[in-house]
Amino acid sequence: MRKNIVLSCAILVAVGIGLSGCSSTAFSIANKPTDFVQDFKTPACDTKNYLADELQKAKDGDDPIYLSINAASVARSCGKFELSNEFLDLAEDSYKFDVDLESTTSKVTKNAIGVLLNDTFTDYDGNLYERIMVNVYKGLNFMSLGDYENARVEFNRALLRQDKAKDYFAAQIAANKKELEKAKKDDPNYKENAKNSKVIQEQYSQLFAEFKTSEKFTNPYATYLASVFFFLDGDYANSADKFREIAIANPKNRTFANINRTLQNKAKRTRDDGKRYIFLAYEDGLGTIKENFRINMPYVMSSNNIATLNLALPTLKKRDASYKNISINNNKAAQVSNFDDIFATEFKIELPGIITKSILSMAAKSATSAAVANDGNGMLSLLTSATMSAINVADTRVWQTLPKTANIAMVPNNGSYTIKDSTGATIASGKVDKKKNALIWVRSIDKKTQPQVIVQER
């Protein structure tokens, strides 16, 4: 939707005219994305109607993926599982029709807007790790609604997305190489500008030192929850098969080894042994987000014109953990996924394209500003500078409410559960049916906020 609204503005900016209208559009769109964290932490589920408002915005095509994935988390925290899935359905539809099946013309238009204005003027595309979690949370919501048939569909989709992740990123890497080759041909001063861009690479090298990036483009937490679903649905062979992947990837983890042994033994049995289990899925803290940062870079426009580009680029900011280490019924949970590292892995792959687009964008803006200034119209030059400043921001949209880490455990079902922090203080407890298996999903944002607990028995 945003593409249609701002395309004419992008054209006007490119030629340096009609900036008064574009300036107001720039300030209204190129701003900090809506913050959903506070509503996620302390949702006023019965008194606020903003979820209905956000749903309508998403349906109207107002940045549907960004709005939907974040609002879906708030709806889930309120226990509104159907509404949460309605948001997630909108996000998945947008992924399919506006991203995966996007036409070549639309992609060209979107890229042009990103260069002439910036990416915040177009709808958010999302990241692959976010798409996987869309299906995971849809599956969990369906489980809470007692709809195991649709829950199975969603967990299978999440696993399929993970299987295709390597191909997805291989295509992304190939696209980056293609863009690099194009830049070499289009920029007669490419070699010198490439040297100048090393200052940017150095900044990001320091950033990635804080993360453990990997070439394994999967989220083991999604695999674990799929395994638990299959177990609760009585598909023990499938459950064991999925968890085996986690155990093989972490051969020294005793918790994973014990869970794997129990699941493999269960899958081999031909009769019900009467044993029931409690599975823990603990999501801790808030995951990494993007922030805007600026860096100056000399850029050779022509043989006698060197401009200083004030680049606006996204950087990664880690957020705080909550309890980190917890236990259930005196069994310590083990970390299965670090969302910070998963995010950084995908960001690192996308970064070359982000940097290239930012450089091209600022070069175009610099050329426009110079052309307007040379015309001698002081008011137009001032307005141009104000507009360029307003739209010189990085796209920092992410799924804000995803956790920092995910921890898991599996214990015998004795009819109750007690979850404690590392000091031994109880943070959640309750009763469960001893004759059923149970999934205890716990979401702790910080130690000051009451954890969300959702129990699923079957």
Side-chain angles (χ1 to χ4, degrees):
M1 180 179 180
R2 291 186 176 196
K3 288 180 282 188
N4 296 328
I5 295 174
V6 303
L7 180 56
S8 60
C9 182
I11 296 171
L12 292 173
V13 168
V15 298
I17 60 174
L19 288 167
S20 60
C22 290
S23 183
S24 60
T25 303
F27 280 106
S28 64
I29 295 180
N31 52 18
K32 192 173 182 179
T34 304
D35 187 355
F36 287 88
V37 173
Q38 190 57 44
D39 287 316
F40 181 60
K41 289 175 65 174
T42 55
C45 302
D46 299 322
T47 59
K48 296 182 70 173
N49 62 356
Y50 83 97
L51 280 175
D53 294 338
E54 296 299 330
L55 183 63
Q56 190 57 54
K57 289 179 187 177
K59 287 182 176 179
D60 290 341
D62 184 3
D63 210 2
I65 294 175
Y66 176 73
L67 290 178
S68 295
I69 56 179
N70 283 288
S73 295
V74 180
R76 177 172 168 78
S77 70
C78 289
K80 300 180 184 293
F81 304 116
E82 287 188 31
L83 179 58
S84 179
N85 271 359
E86 190 171 359
F87 276 114
L88 294 174
D89 281 339
L90 286 170
E92 191 161 31
D93 285 345
S94 294
Y95 283 136
K96 180 178 180 181
F97 296 109
D98 297 337
V99 181
D100 295 338
L101 299 179
E102 189 176 26
S103 68
T104 301
T105 301
S106 180
K107 289 179 180 178
V108 170
T109 300
K110 185 173 184 178
N111 189 63
I113 292 172
V115 172
L116 296 175
L117 299 174
N118 66 57
D119 285 335
T120 66
F121 281 80
T122 59
D123 292 334
Y124 180 58
D125 283 348
N127 295 287
L128 182 62
Y129 79 96
E130 293 175 342
R131 298 188 202 187
I132 292 169
M133 292 308 297
V134 163
N135 295 116
V136 167
Y137 285 127
K138 283 177 72 177
L140 290 173
N141 286 336
F142 277 127
M143 288 177 70
S144 294
L145 293 168
D147 187 349
Y148 271 62
E149 183 177 349
N150 276 314
R152 177 178 286 268
V153 170
E154 296 304 329
F155 284 115
N156 280 331
R157 283 177 177 170
L159 294 172
L160 182 61
R161 286 191 189 277
Q162 295 213 126
D163 288 341
K164 291 184 176 181
K166 184 173 290 187
D167 293 336
Y168 174 89
F169 287 117
Q172 181 69 48
I173 292 169
N176 289 338
K177 289 181 179 178
K178 185 176 180 180
E179 188 67 30
L180 179 62
E181 292 303 317
K182 184 177 183 299
K184 288 180 180 178
K185 293 179 181 178
D186 294 346
D187 183 3
N189 304 295
Y190 174 79
K191 287 186 178 180
E192 191 164 353
N193 286 326
K195 291 180 181 179
N196 293 336
S197 68
K198 286 185 178 180
V199 63
I200 303 173
Q201 304 297 338
E202 290 172 359
Q203 288 285 332
Y204 281 109
S205 294
Q206 296 175 17
L207 171 69
F208 288 123
E210 301 177 19
F211 299 88
K212 292 181 180 179
T213 57
S214 169
E215 293 184 0
K216 297 178 181 179
F217 308 117
T218 59
N219 184 346
Y221 182 53
T223 307
Y224 167 73
L225 287 173
S227 174
V228 173
F229 164 78
F230 291 130
F231 191 93
L232 266 62
D233 201 35
D235 189 352
Y236 303 122
N238 208 359
S239 173
D241 184 56
K242 294 297 176 286
F243 195 87
R244 184 187 293 111
E245 297 175 16
I246 298 174
I248 291 174
N250 301 272
K252 296 182 180 180
N253 190 299
R254 291 185 179 180
T255 298
F256 296 164
N258 290 336
I259 295 175
N260 185 51
R261 187 181 306 110
T262 301
L263 295 181
Q264 301 304 323
N265 290 337
K266 185 73 172 179
K268 293 175 183 177
R269 290 184 178 276
T270 57
R271 294 182 180 181
D272 185 1
D273 59 5
K275 295 180 180 179
R276 299 294 180 263
Y277 297 92
I278 295 174
F279 296 86
L280 174 68
Y282 173 64
E283 299 181 9
D284 185 87
L286 290 169
T288 290
I289 56 174
K290 293 179 184 177
E291 279 195 332
N292 191 74
F293 92 99
R294 296 180 184 276
I295 186 169
N296 289 330
M297 174 192 137
Y299 186 83
V300 181
M301 305 285 284
S302 64
S303 59
N304 60 351
N305 182 10
I306 300 178
T308 298
L309 304 184
N310 181 230
L311 301 178
L313 292 164
T315 187
L316 301 184
K317 179 186 178 183
K318 287 187 177 182
R319 291 185 290 179
D320 293 335
S322 181
Y323 292 102
K324 291 186 181 180
N325 301 315
I326 66 165
S327 64
I328 179 169
N329 295 354
N330 297 318
N331 289 267
K332 187 176 179 180
Q335 183 183 121
V336 69
S337 289
N338 185 308
F339 279 74
D340 288 348
D341 293 341
I342 293 170
F343 183 11
T345 295
E346 188 165 349
F347 180 74
K348 188 174 183 179
I349 292 170
E350 295 174 341
L351 186 59
I354 294 172
I355 294 174
T356 298
K357 183 180 286 187
S358 180
I359 292 174
L360 292 175
S361 179
M362 274 312 300
K365 293 179 178 69
S366 179
T368 300
S369 297
V372 173
N374 290 336
D375 283 344
N377 187 325
M379 181 58 70
L380 183 58
S381 179
L382 183 63
L383 188 56
T384 302
S385 297
T387 303
M388 295 305 175
S389 177
I391 62 179
N392 184 28
V393 295
D395 187 358
T396 58
R397 290 171 293 183
V398 297
W399 193 339
Q400 298 175 348
T401 57
L402 289 179
K404 187 177 185 69
T405 59
N407 299 266
I408 64 173
M410 177 184 182
V411 297
N413 184 353
N414 60 12
S416 65
Y417 66 90
T418 301
I419 300 172
K420 297 180 179 181
D421 65 16
S422 58
T423 69
T426 299
I427 60 175
S429 62
K431 301 287 186 180
V432 292
D433 190 337
K434 292 177 65 174
K435 298 179 180 180
K436 296 181 179 180
N437 294 302
L439 168 64
I440 312 296
W441 180 85
V442 183
R443 182 71 178 92
S444 179
I445 300 167
D446 57 49
K447 294 179 181 178
K448 297 179 181 179
T449 305
Q450 183 69 25
Q452 303 168 23
V453 181
I454 298 175
V455 179
Q456 180 63 43
E457 299 174 284
R458 189 174 173 86

